[in-house]
Each structure stands twice: as structure tokens, then as C-alpha cells.
Amino acid sequence: MAATTIKLEGEVFKEIRGAISGKQSITSFVRESVQAELKRRKFREAAIQYQEFLRANEKEASDLALWQAAALEAPVK
């Protein structure tokens, strides 16, 4: 496993220390924060790609619109 040391400026370090619970380490907080950010970026890229896919595939876009308009709360007949 590759590892690195990340230096945090004094004010950032103090803010992090004040924001986390006593049970969580600063290292785990930073690790989880970075992982969450990377996941957010992947989801955003996937959403952009899906929007591009819908623009390029009218049938898929119309099927999606039909599905979204379905009254899911109504019983199936």
C-alpha cells in the first residue's frame, strides 16, 4: 500500500480537530473526506455521461420520460 504524509496548516488542523468526535482520528477523517470527494466526482462524471447518452439516444430519453411519468402510487391493473 502506498502512503504519504500530508501537512495541514495550523488553522485547518485546528478546525478539523474541532469538527471530529473524540473517537475519530484526524487521519481517518482526512481519509474519509478524500474518499467521499473522489466518490462525489465519479458520480458527477457518471451523471454527465448519462445526460450525454440521453441526448444522443432519443428513444432512451423518451422511454425514461415515460417511466418517470408513471403513477407508481396507483395499483397495477
Side-chain angles (χ1 to χ4, degrees):
M1 174 176 95
T4 188
T5 300
I6 298 173
K7 295 181 181 181
L8 301 171
E9 295 176 359
E11 286 303 313
V12 173
F13 183 80
K14 287 178 190 176
E15 285 188 50
I16 292 172
R17 191 171 51 198
I20 61 176
S21 71
K23 295 179 182 179
Q24 186 178 25
S25 70
I26 291 175
T27 300
S28 68
F29 175 82
V30 171
R31 182 185 314 109
E32 290 171 11
S33 298
V34 169
Q35 288 171 337
E37 174 63 16
L38 293 173
K39 188 180 212 180
R40 185 193 67 76
R41 289 179 184 208
K42 287 178 186 177
F43 283 156
R44 177 161 173 71
E45 182 58 32
I48 290 168
Q49 289 178 9
Y50 187 62
Q51 290 299 317
E52 290 171 359
F53 171 77
L54 290 177
R55 278 193 290 278
N57 295 278
E58 291 179 20
K59 172 82 170 100
E60 184 74 20
S62 89
D63 287 349
L64 178 62
L66 182 64
W67 182 81
Q68 288 175 330
L72 299 177
E73 68 280 354
V76 178
K77 295 181 183 179

